[in-house]
Amino acid sequence: MDFRPTQEEILTRKNAREFAVKYVRPLAAEIDENHRFPEETVEKLAKYGFMGIPYPGEYEGAGGSFLSYIITIEELARECASTAVICSAHVSLCCWCIYHWGTEEQRRAFLPNLCSGRKLGAFALTEANAGTDSAKQETKAVKDGDKWVLNGTKVFVTNGGYSDVFIVFAMTDKTKGNRGITAFLIKKEDPGLTIAKVEKKMGVCASSTITLVLEDCVIPEDRVLGGIGKGFKVAMTGLDGGRIGIAAQALGIAESAFDETVAYLKARRQFGKPLSEMQALQFEMAAMRTEIEASKLLVYQAADMKDRGLEYSMYASMAKLFASETAMKVTTKAVQFLAGYGYSKEYPLERMMRDAKVTEIYEGTSEVQKMVIASHIFKEER
Amino acid sequence: MKILVCVKDLESSDLNALNAALALTEDVTVLTVGPYESLTALKEALARGALRGILVTDKSMAGSDTLATAKILKKAIEKAGNDFDLILTGRESKDSATALIGPMLAELMDLGQITNAVKIGEGTAVKEEDGMVIEVAYECPVLMTVSRDMGTRDAYDMSGIFDRKPVEIWDAEDICIDKSEVGEKGSPTKIIRIEKAVAKTDGEWIEEDTAAETADRLVERLREERTI
């Protein structure tokens, strides 16, 4: 067992931090305030090779490991959680499903544009009546000769307003439940696609979250991803990897909030001494630091298992469950410790606290993560 | 154009030297003398676009001063082909910041040198010295030390990190240098003692309306600072 980062991981973190400090930090407060999708940052992420880190050069990816990609999400999230989730939804939900489940023709048709960042990807699974119970898909796809016709409405589609490619899940055989769901590759220019609503959110305000309506969306049959009836598996593959991305996002938020708090406690004097000399606060900070470190180990372990081709689903859920709850705890306490300054929009802590909350919700709530973990525990015991 | 850049750490003006080289040509070799850990700086230089990376590392070289290091660099450059049009170094390293290695290497190699370059053009370069900006003509081969004021820091394309270009690793034997010329034995500089310089803080001026009030205020301040 070796907990030391490799040369590549050291350089990845250094470069990602340099990028994030230079291009992400200056915009973070403004894009949150104005609920503005940072197109200029996405262009820069593409230019600097961040939009396809874990994919091979033949698809115009950077050829790195999943762990290296996870480190970049952590570093981006330190500065701006919205920017981190734009990258994460694109890389680990959209691109990964195509890379893992696509035919060679589909990979060649879609991945170079996505991995280079020339185009942006999204993943459209959730519906108004199919959230955690994602098998209750009401979007339908019907075969018509050599075409498929899709009808339905998807909600909470991350990146949706700016995406060129959507992975859309639809019921192709209602009688089969989970096994009746099929994944489709949909392009922005396909007929019958409408963005019906742009979501207003509590946090990650600069990421685009939309409702996507498909009305007689006709697409050729070669857009089926992973085979007919394999949609649920495709979705779970995407979410397993995606959860490590969200866990890394939560980790970055927690680390950043923690660092801000340390600096504040050292500088702020009350009752004739710095707050950092008060044991009640020291103990709280010690516990927080320990939980952040535990999150980090869980996140890196899950990513490393994925790189090694091991079964990592349960570990991804553990990483997300623990890292997101740690981020919520750390940011909430950070706001409390900074008190008025924590609550004020002049400082980044209140934004971090709002951003942290969603990490306990999207790509599977904390409750879903517990369901996944429990299913593995009891599957193992049989 | 073929350029060799001597780097120690990319936190210093060495990065400016590397960027200056990459702006002039694709054919950039980076050379480092140091412990095995220096590999990270070389890997970063390769990730940023250099073609060839060379690490010279040998236990016997530990403790080398600027002169011994310059001798090692000269030998390594000879082994690397000795056909470089331009040899660049940062003006000074981040740690000891002597700004000696570049000029010493130029002397040992019998090359012309331009120190503290802020701009490198074809046949001419601009250097800064004592607040003056001086444009000088040069002929290759030549050695230049590059100022921290040349260019700006930036991130680079992530794919560079995963290109996995190999680094050539050489020891004293590989570069044909006598071990007596390197390390503490080969270093005329003897450091007796190093201590941290204490920065003086600004004083505080106390002046009240009368001498007595000034004295009272002084005593009060000294008590606050727990000096008395």
Side-chain angles (χ1 to χ4, degrees):
Chain A
M1 203 172 288
D2 189 346
F3 291 98
R4 290 172 302 178
T6 62
Q7 297 275 352
E8 284 173 13
E9 286 150 12
I10 292 168
L11 292 182
T12 297
R13 184 181 300 285
K14 197 176 163 204
N15 198 34
R17 183 166 297 178
E18 189 145 5
F19 179 93
V21 168
K22 185 163 181 167
Y23 298 115
V24 179
R25 179 185 291 176
L27 294 180
E30 181 264 311
I31 59 178
D32 171 72
E33 179 80 25
N34 297 323
H35 292 229
R36 182 174 76 79
F37 183 87
E39 285 181 90
E40 68 271 50
T41 311
V42 177
E43 269 174 36
K44 288 225 165 57
L45 285 166
K47 184 180 163 207
Y48 287 80
F50 283 76
M51 296 304 266
I53 289 176
Y55 305 106
E58 58 181 304
Y59 304 119
E60 297 191 39
S65 63
F66 196 79
L67 179 51
S68 290
Y69 152 69
I70 283 302
I71 290 169
T72 62
I73 294 295
E74 177 191 346
E75 291 298 331
L76 293 174
R78 271 177 171 267
E79 303 300 336
C80 172
S82 293
T83 304
V85 75
I86 293 168
C87 186
S88 175
H90 168 87
V91 173
S92 41
L93 287 182
C94 181
C95 296
W96 183 255
C97 287
I98 300 172
Y99 182 68
H100 188 84
W101 289 96
T103 61
E104 194 48 41
E105 288 74 25
Q106 288 172 332
R107 286 174 166 199
R108 294 204 177 283
F110 286 90
L111 286 178
N113 275 332
L114 289 168
C115 295
S116 63
R118 288 190 294 273
K119 295 200 167 169
L120 189 65
F123 179 92
L125 173 68
T126 304
E127 297 183 1
N129 296 316
T132 294
D133 189 4
S134 58
K136 292 283 185 299
Q137 297 282 311
E138 288 170 6
T139 297
K140 283 190 198 107
V142 178
K143 190 81 189 284
D144 181 14
D146 59 356
K147 310 268 188 213
W148 284 94
V149 183
L150 277 75
N151 279 286
T153 301
K154 295 289 176 181
V155 300
F156 303 137
V157 182
T158 303
N159 286 350
Y162 296 83
S163 281
D164 304 281
V165 177
F166 299 82
I167 296 180
V168 173
F169 298 86
M171 200 55 98
T172 43
D173 187 347
K174 207 173 178 182
T175 61
K176 290 185 177 166
N178 278 351
R179 293 199 177 94
I181 300 170
T182 301
F184 294 91
L185 289 158
I186 306 288
K187 295 180 181 175
K188 183 179 65 179
E189 58 270 25
D190 286 333
L193 242 61
T194 322
I195 293 167
K197 180 183 165 198
V198 178
E199 212 68 46
K200 286 182 185 158
K201 310 183 295 280
M202 169 185 176
V204 289
C205 297
S207 86
S208 159
T209 308
I210 57 121
T211 295
L212 181 71
V213 176
L214 300 106
E215 203 172 354
D216 290 331
C217 172
V218 182
I219 51 164
E221 61 184 346
D222 64 4
R223 300 277 198 82
V224 169
L225 180 66
I228 295 164
K230 292 278 168 57
F232 193 74
K233 281 191 169 180
V234 174
M236 292 307 118
T237 306
L239 287 170
D240 278 345
R243 279 164 189 161
I244 312 176
I246 300 306
Q249 182 199 22
L251 173 62
I253 298 170
E255 287 173 321
S256 189
F258 183 83
D259 290 350
E260 290 278 345
T261 310
V262 169
Y264 179 83
L265 295 184
K266 280 184 181 168
R268 173 80 167 169
R269 293 177 73 91
Q270 292 284 276
F271 304 107
K273 61 181 178 181
L275 292 182
S276 59
E277 287 178 19
M278 297 181 179
Q279 198 177 50
L281 291 171
Q282 286 180 350
F283 279 13
E284 291 272 16
M285 293 300 283
M288 278 154 64
R289 184 73 190 81
T290 307
E291 285 179 54
I292 291 170
E293 201 60 25
S295 303
K296 190 186 279 187
L297 290 171
L298 281 170
V299 173
Y300 294 172
Q301 173 184 250
D304 181 64
M305 290 177 80
K306 181 165 162 61
D307 277 326
R308 289 173 197 273
L310 302 172
E311 168 54 51
Y312 66 92
S313 166
M314 177 175 78
Y315 297 90
S317 285
M318 287 174 168
K320 182 178 180 288
L321 173 65
F322 195 80
S324 62
E325 295 197 344
T326 298
M328 197 62 231
K329 199 187 293 180
V330 169
T331 53
T332 307
K333 288 196 173 176
V335 167
Q336 186 67 23
F337 294 171
L338 269 78
Y341 300 107
Y343 199 67
S344 164
K345 277 193 184 282
E346 284 205 19
Y347 294 84
L349 268 312
E350 63 82 32
R351 165 166 57 86
M352 292 174 183
M353 182 176 163
R354 287 185 285 109
D355 289 345
K357 185 62 204 170
V358 78
T359 65
E360 295 180 319
I361 295 170
Y362 57 17
E363 301 196 27
T365 57
S366 287
E367 292 71 24
V368 167
Q369 309 313 325
K370 287 175 187 166
M371 284 162 61
V372 172
I373 297 162
S375 76
H376 282 274
I377 295 169
F378 296 106
K379 185 174 75 185
E380 278 170 13
E381 281 192 353
R382 273 202 295 271
Chain B
M1 194 179 227
K2 216 172 153 162
I3 304 181
L4 179 133
V5 187
C6 303
V7 300
K8 182 175 181 181
D9 64 76
L10 292 178
E11 307 314 309
S12 65
S13 50
D14 290 358
L15 178 61
N16 305 69
L18 174 66
N19 285 340
L22 290 169
L24 290 166
T25 179
E26 286 183 356
D27 192 351
V28 174
T29 298
V30 278
L31 168 64
T32 295
V33 176
Y36 195 75
E37 291 71 49
S38 313
L39 207 56
T40 309
L42 270 182
K43 291 266 186 189
E44 180 176 340
L46 291 171
R48 284 180 179 272
L51 276 188
R52 184 181 180 198
I54 302 164
L55 172 66
V56 181
T57 186
D58 196 304
K59 273 183 189 160
S60 67
M61 293 172 186
S64 293
D65 69 358
T66 47
L67 182 62
T69 305
K71 284 180 181 169
I72 298 165
L73 287 169
K74 176 182 182 257
K75 286 286 193 182
I77 292 168
E78 281 167 9
K79 182 173 163 67
N82 210 6
D83 55 349
F84 301 98
D85 301 298
L86 205 54
I87 294 174
L88 299 182
T89 72
R91 195 183 93 89
E92 57 189 24
S93 66
K94 194 181 159 201
D95 47 10
S96 45
T98 60
L100 285 173
I101 300 266
M104 280 180 169
L105 179 60
E107 286 301 314
L108 290 172
M109 295 186 71
D110 203 17
L111 288 176
Q113 57 175 291
I114 297 170
T115 51
N116 209 31
V118 291
K119 194 176 166 191
I120 305 173
E122 271 183 44
T124 62
V126 177
K127 58 176 279 174
E128 275 185 14
E129 202 172 279
D130 298 332
M132 310 276 273
V133 178
I134 305 164
E135 188 169 2
V136 285
Y138 69 86
E139 276 174 25
C140 292
V142 66
L143 183 145
M144 295 188 206
T145 75
V146 173
S147 161
R148 205 167 164 77
D149 295 331
M150 188 189 283
T152 49
R153 279 200 80 91
D154 197 4
Y156 53 93
D157 190 331
M158 275 287 178
S159 62
I161 297 174
F162 310 107
D163 278 349
R164 302 183 178 97
K165 294 178 201 160
V167 170
E168 295 161 64
I169 300 177
W170 297 343
D171 61 14
E173 211 171 295
D174 291 322
I175 61 167
C176 307
I177 196 162
D178 193 314
K179 288 191 181 179
S180 66
E181 285 193 74
V182 301
E184 282 177 21
K185 263 186 281 176
S187 298
T189 315
K190 303 289 175 215
I191 294 169
I192 314 290
R193 190 166 52 94
I194 296 179
E195 62 183 46
K196 205 171 177 179
V198 181
K200 281 188 183 169
T201 54
D202 289 340
E204 185 181 327
W205 189 257
I206 294 172
E207 189 175 359
E208 302 294 332
D209 292 340
T210 64
E213 279 171 24
T214 304
D216 286 345
R217 176 67 191 141
L218 175 64
V219 170
E220 195 185 322
R221 282 294 294 120
L222 290 173
R223 285 212 172 111
E224 274 172 26
E225 296 295 324
R226 293 167 194 249
T227 314
I228 55 172

